[in-house]
Amino acid sequence: MRLVSEKCISMGILLASNLIMTSIGICLQRFLRQRNVNFLSTTQHIISCLTSGIFLGTLLMMIVPDSLELLAHRWHTMNIGYLFIGLGFFLICIIQDLINLYELYAFKQQVGTETQEILNSLKESNHDNRITRLITLVFALGTHNFFDGIMIGGQTKDAMTLWLVVAAICFHMSLVAFSVTLRLLIDNETYVRVFCAMFIWSLMGPLGVLASLLITSESSGLSLFNGVLQCLSAGTFLYITFIDMIHSDLMKKMFYPFVNSLLIFGGFSIFVLISLLHKYMH
C-alpha cells in the first residue's frame, strides 16, 4: 500500500518536473534571444549523453529482466516476454512511420497547390503548418511519455527501484521538455501555445502511471495482461533508449572523437554503481 502511495506521488513529480523545465525554457528563451547560447547547447548535450547512459543501464539491468520474469512460465518452450518486447518496439516504429507519412502527405498537399494561392495565403499556410508540427510532436512524445508512466506504475516492485526509475525518467524528460520548448519557440510558436502543448504532453506520464496502477491493483485476475503490458512498455523503452536517445547523441558532432561515447558510458556506469550499491545495502 505504501508503494502505491509513492507511485501516486511520482505522478505529481513527473508533471511538476516537466512543467518547471518548460517554464525555465520559456524564460531562458526570452532572456537569451539576443545572446550567445553555445554554453547552454554544450551543457544540454552533456546532460543528454549522461541520461542516455542512465537509460541504457535502466533498460539492461532492470526493465528487461523484470518484464521477462512476469511471463517466464506462461509458455512451455519459450518465454513469450521476448515476443511482446519486440512488439512494443515495433509499435512505436509504426506510430513514428504513421506520423512521417502524415507529414509527407501534408507536404505534398502544400506543394500541389497553385503558386499564386500560396503567395496569397502564405501567412495562414505557415500558421497551419506550425499547428501540424506541434500536434504531431506532442502526439509522438506523449506516446513515449505515457509508456514511461506505465513502466513506473508497473515495473517497479520496491521503493528504491521506483525512485531510481523516476529519477532517471524525470532527469531525461525534463531535458526533453526544456529542449522541445526552446525548439518550438525557435519555430515562432507563441508562449501560451507552447506551454499548453507541453502541459498536455506532461500529463501523459502521470496518466500512464494511473493506468498501470488501475491494472495492477487487481493483479490476481489480470496478471497475464499486466505482464504483457509491461513487456510492451519494455519494448517501447528499448526504442526510446537506442533510437531516440543513444543514436541521436552519437550522431552529434559537438566534441572530440569518442567523447559522446565516453559520456554515455559514464551515465551507464553511474546507474551500474547505484544498482550495485542498492544490492549491497540489501
Side-chain angles (χ1 to χ4, degrees), residues 5-258:
S5 300
E6 293 185 355
K7 289 181 179 180
C8 293
I9 295 174
S10 71
M11 295 168 59
I13 294 175
L14 284 175
L15 179 62
S17 62
N18 288 341
L19 292 181
I20 289 173
M21 292 306 295
T22 297
S23 301
I24 292 175
I26 292 175
C27 295
L28 196 60
Q29 171 68 14
R30 297 184 65 178
F31 179 75
L32 297 175
R33 180 172 293 178
Q34 303 298 329
R35 292 172 174 82
N36 192 332
V37 294
N38 288 334
F39 175 77
L40 176 65
S41 178
T42 301
T43 303
Q44 182 178 327
H45 179 66
I46 292 174
I47 295 175
S48 178
C49 289
L50 289 174
T51 52
S52 293
I54 292 173
F55 262 51
L56 179 62
T58 305
L59 174 70
L60 297 180
M61 300 188 65
M62 183 184 302
I63 304 304
V64 171
D66 289 348
S67 300
L68 293 175
E69 182 182 353
L70 292 171
L71 297 178
H73 305 292
R74 296 289 179 175
W75 199 261
H76 297 292
T77 58
M78 63 173 291
N79 189 336
I80 60 174
Y82 291 103
L83 171 64
F84 288 105
I85 289 176
L87 290 177
F89 179 88
F90 288 109
L91 173 65
I92 299 301
C93 290
I94 292 172
I95 291 175
Q96 292 286 6
D97 285 340
L98 289 175
I99 293 173
N100 293 336
L101 284 175
Y102 176 76
E103 291 180 341
L104 179 62
Y105 173 78
F107 175 76
K108 288 183 177 180
Q109 288 290 101
Q110 179 183 0
V111 172
T113 58
E114 295 292 333
T115 303
Q116 188 61 39
E117 292 179 359
I118 295 178
L119 293 175
N120 292 337
S121 59
L122 182 60
K123 184 175 180 180
E124 181 180 355
S125 178
N126 289 336
H127 177 268
D128 292 340
N129 288 336
R130 290 201 303 269
I131 292 293
T132 301
R133 287 198 301 270
L134 185 65
I135 293 174
T136 54
L137 181 61
V138 170
F139 176 76
L141 292 175
T143 302
H144 295 166
N145 205 14
F146 181 78
F147 278 100
D148 283 341
I150 288 179
M151 182 191 63
I152 291 175
Q155 296 280 1
T156 50
K157 300 178 181 179
D158 58 80
M160 183 65 177
T161 303
L162 169 66
W163 293 117
L164 281 174
V165 174
V166 170
I169 290 178
C170 283
F171 199 41
H172 178 256
M173 287 304 171
S174 296
L175 179 65
V176 172
F178 180 74
S179 304
V180 172
T181 299
L182 291 177
R183 181 52 189 263
L184 290 175
L185 292 174
I186 290 174
D187 291 339
N188 298 317
E189 292 288 355
T190 64
Y191 294 117
V192 174
R193 188 181 298 156
V194 168
F195 186 83
C196 291
M198 297 306 294
F199 180 76
I200 294 173
W201 171 65
S202 299
L203 278 177
M204 298 305 293
L207 288 177
V209 177
L210 179 61
S212 183
L213 286 176
L214 292 176
I215 292 172
T216 57
S217 61
E218 299 179 3
S219 57
S220 58
L222 297 173
S223 58
L224 176 60
F225 183 73
N226 182 34
V228 170
L229 189 63
Q230 293 190 33
C231 284
L232 288 174
S233 69
T236 304
F237 202 92
L238 183 69
Y239 180 95
I240 295 171
T241 301
F242 285 99
I243 305 300
D244 279 355
M245 298 177 59
I246 293 180
H247 178 265
S248 177
D249 289 334
L250 290 176
M251 291 297 102
K252 294 177 182 177
K253 306 298 182 182
M254 297 187 64
F255 302 113
Y256 294 104
F258 307 112

